[in-house]
């Protein structure tokens, strides 16, 4: 849902993140509503939206694993991941991503039209949300 992507972008902007610090990765979605196309176009213009790699080889569509692309981007950029995915299938086969799925993954919840993030993203005794977002914890 492109509106959810926009809500995430606005949330992090309000938290003080610059456009350079916000990366929104989307996979190819063949059919989008006009509203979704408009929102995605705006996020592309701002420069925060990145499409997961895909290409055509003749009539065959070849798409990269969007989850691996997200994990590699967060790993390379030393960021965190906002996703409902838990990335369990990569725990054994890609150990370099374990710290991401253990310590730098935050799961969003939308309540009506609002993005709500947990104030204790790593559980009780862990960092506050603001500490988590700024890596002010160890």
């Amino acid at each position: 849902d492109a509106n959810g992507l926009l809500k995430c972008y606005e949330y992090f902007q309000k938290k003080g993140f610059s456009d350079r610090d916000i990366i929104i990765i989307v996979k190819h979605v063949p059919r989008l509503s006009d509203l979704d196309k408009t929102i995605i176009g705006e996020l592309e213009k701002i420069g925060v939206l990145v499409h997961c790699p895909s290409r055509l080889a003749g009539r065959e569509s070849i798409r990269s694993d969007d989850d691996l692309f997200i994990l590699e981007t967060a790993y390379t950029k030393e960021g965190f991941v906002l996703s409902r995915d838990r990335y369990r299938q990569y725990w054994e086969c890609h150990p370099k991503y374990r710290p991401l799925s253990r310590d730098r993954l935050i799961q969003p919840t939308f309540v009506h039209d609002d993005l709500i993030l947990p104030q204790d993203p790593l559980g009780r005794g862990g960092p506050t949300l603001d500490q988590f977002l700024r890596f002010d914890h160890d």
Side-chain angles (χ1 to χ4, degrees):
D1 174 83
N3 191 48
L5 299 177
L6 180 60
K7 293 289 180 188
C8 291
Y9 170 73
E10 291 169 346
Y11 179 92
F12 287 103
Q13 254 204 331
K14 288 176 187 170
K15 283 282 194 185
F17 287 81
S18 71
D19 288 350
R20 183 160 167 68
D21 295 327
I22 300 171
I23 301 169
I24 299 172
I25 299 173
V26 295
K27 62 182 175 180
H28 175 72
V29 179
R31 292 178 187 91
L32 295 171
S33 71
D34 289 339
L35 178 59
D36 285 345
K37 289 177 187 175
T38 299
I39 292 170
I40 285 174
E42 289 301 314
L43 292 171
E44 284 176 326
K45 282 182 199 172
I46 296 166
V48 298
L49 191 104
V50 175
H51 291 273
C52 187
S54 66
R55 62 186 172 91
L56 287 175
R59 293 179 186 235
E60 180 184 1
S61 177
I62 299 172
R63 294 187 177 111
S64 296
D65 182 326
D66 57 319
D67 289 343
L68 275 177
F69 186 71
I70 289 166
L71 290 170
E72 181 60 26
T73 302
Y75 180 84
T76 301
K77 296 293 192 176
E78 298 179 343
F80 59 87
V81 176
L82 181 70
S83 175
R84 288 191 149 157
D85 195 319
R86 295 181 185 180
Y87 303 101
R88 289 184 204 164
Q89 68 272 35
Y90 304 103
W91 188 265
E92 292 301 323
C93 58
H94 295 281
K96 79 177 189 178
Y97 299 133
R98 287 179 189 168
L100 280 168
S101 56
R102 183 182 55 240
D103 301 324
R104 293 179 9 207
L105 171 63
I106 187 165
Q107 294 187 304
T109 301
F110 288 90
V111 178
H112 300 290
D113 203 26
D114 295 318
L115 170 65
I116 307 292
L117 299 182
Q119 292 303 304
D120 58 350
L122 296 181
R124 292 182 186 178
T128 65
L129 178 61
D130 287 337
Q131 290 169 327
F132 178 90
L133 295 177
R134 300 293 182 192
F135 302 113
D136 295 339
H137 60 90
D138 281 324

